[in-house]
Amino acid sequence: MTSLRTVLRLIGLLFCGITAASAANDHFFSTSPDNLVDMTSKDAIPRDKRRARSKKTSSVYPYYNVLSGVEKVHKKLGIKGAGVTIGISSTGVSVDHEALVGQYRGTLQRGKNISIDHNYNWFDAFGSTVPLDPKFVGTHITGVAVAAKDNIGVAPAAKFIACRAIDELEKDTPESQITCMKFFGTMHDLNGGNWRPELIPDVVFTQHSDSSLGDVLRSSIQGLLDAGVVVITNAGPREEDTSICAK
């Protein structure tokens, strides 16, 4: 349990950081899945802070994983999220990205043969049975959580599943958010049936836009909490230089 709690604290910290950074610079998020491995905006991050090298080893960690303590947790405690499944609710995800494909729970590898099964691992409130991410924001967030390349991810040994609650216009509705929360809380297949609650994730990160006003999502979030899921959510930024992050 200590390992899980430590990983969750770090994930929450970085998600809050992403929200604050995006408030300060509209270009913080990658505009292409190919840019995931950078994970920073050249305009938002000073050149001398983009990478930080450990003094004791030759391993290079992104500076945010040094400042937040992720590097120490990985090296001193050996905690990288093994055994944890994280659900990401955002604009979707590019599951075939080289830094993410191995962390996708739907990736099945037998020897040299790799296959993908999206049942119980992907759902789209807007109807696509194949993972996609038109805005690449969800892909970026997933990378911060679990990316295995270049020490990008907070929990690179964890697995992720995803649900698209925000459309290609960066709009969401209470219905789309509730659809994704229901998916994470019941674990149904691509057709919405055949529940498998044993596959419920340990953690759910849910990103909101217009739908986060009022208490319309409270009961759905409470349902996840009652199921033992740790819920991390951010809302905003709604106004310049403001952001909200809650866990």
Side-chain angles (χ1 to χ4, degrees):
M1 182 59 70
T2 300
S3 297
L4 177 59
R5 287 178 177 174
T6 301
V7 170
L8 297 186
R9 286 173 63 87
L10 292 170
I11 291 172
L13 173 63
L14 284 181
F15 281 152
C16 288
I18 287 173
T19 307
S22 64
N25 190 305
D26 290 338
H27 302 292
F28 181 81
F29 289 116
S30 300
T31 55
S32 165
D34 295 332
N35 294 333
L36 174 63
V37 294
D38 181 18
M39 298 299 290
T40 61
S41 164
K42 292 182 179 179
D43 296 327
I45 308 301
R47 181 178 297 276
D48 61 348
K49 292 185 178 181
R50 289 180 198 164
R51 287 295 214 191
R53 183 177 295 274
S54 170
K55 296 180 180 179
K56 295 182 179 181
T57 72
S58 60
S59 298
V60 176
Y61 274 74
Y63 87 99
Y64 48 82
N65 276 353
V66 175
L67 297 180
S68 64
V70 170
E71 180 188 29
K72 291 182 179 178
V73 171
H74 286 181
K75 293 179 178 179
K76 293 185 177 181
L77 301 181
I79 297 172
K80 295 187 177 182
V84 176
T85 298
I86 302 173
I88 305 289
S89 176
S90 183
T91 62
V93 64
S94 298
V95 300
D96 57 349
H97 192 285
E98 61 176 336
L100 299 178
V101 64
Q103 279 54 53
Y104 181 50
R105 194 173 69 178
T107 299
L108 307 175
Q109 185 169 0
R110 296 179 179 177
K112 296 183 179 180
N113 298 320
I114 297 178
S115 61
I116 304 290
D117 184 0
H118 300 310
N119 267 309
Y120 304 103
N121 302 308
W122 162 261
F123 199 73
D124 187 342
F126 306 100
S128 176
T129 58
V130 178
L132 73 164
D133 186 5
K135 303 305 295 185
F136 306 118
V137 174
T139 300
H140 183 114
I141 290 170
T142 306
V144 170
V146 302
K149 186 175 182 179
D150 295 339
N151 300 308
I152 293 171
V154 177
K159 297 293 184 181
F160 79 90
I161 60 178
C163 185
R164 186 165 77 113
I166 303 174
D167 67 16
E168 60 274 12
L169 299 177
E170 299 187 35
K171 299 293 185 180
D172 63 346
T173 64
E175 291 77 15
S176 67
Q177 294 288 350
I178 290 171
T179 293
C180 284
M181 291 184 198
K182 178 182 177 182
F183 168 65
F184 292 130
T186 62
M187 281 288 94
H188 57 67
D189 62 20
L190 291 170
N191 296 317
N194 300 311
W195 294 6
R196 293 188 60 186
E198 73 274 15
L199 296 178
I200 290 174
D202 303 289
V203 188
V204 166
F205 169 73
T206 173
Q207 183 181 25
H208 306 288
S209 180
D210 300 327
S211 70
S212 60
L213 292 174
D215 293 333
V216 66
L217 303 178
R218 182 181 294 275
S219 62
S220 295
I221 292 175
Q222 188 61 52
L224 289 173
L225 295 174
D226 291 344
V229 177
V230 174
V231 180
I232 300 171
T233 180
N234 68 359
R238 299 189 178 283
E239 299 176 0
E240 187 175 358
D241 297 327
T242 65
S243 62
I244 303 171
C245 189
K247 180 168 76 73

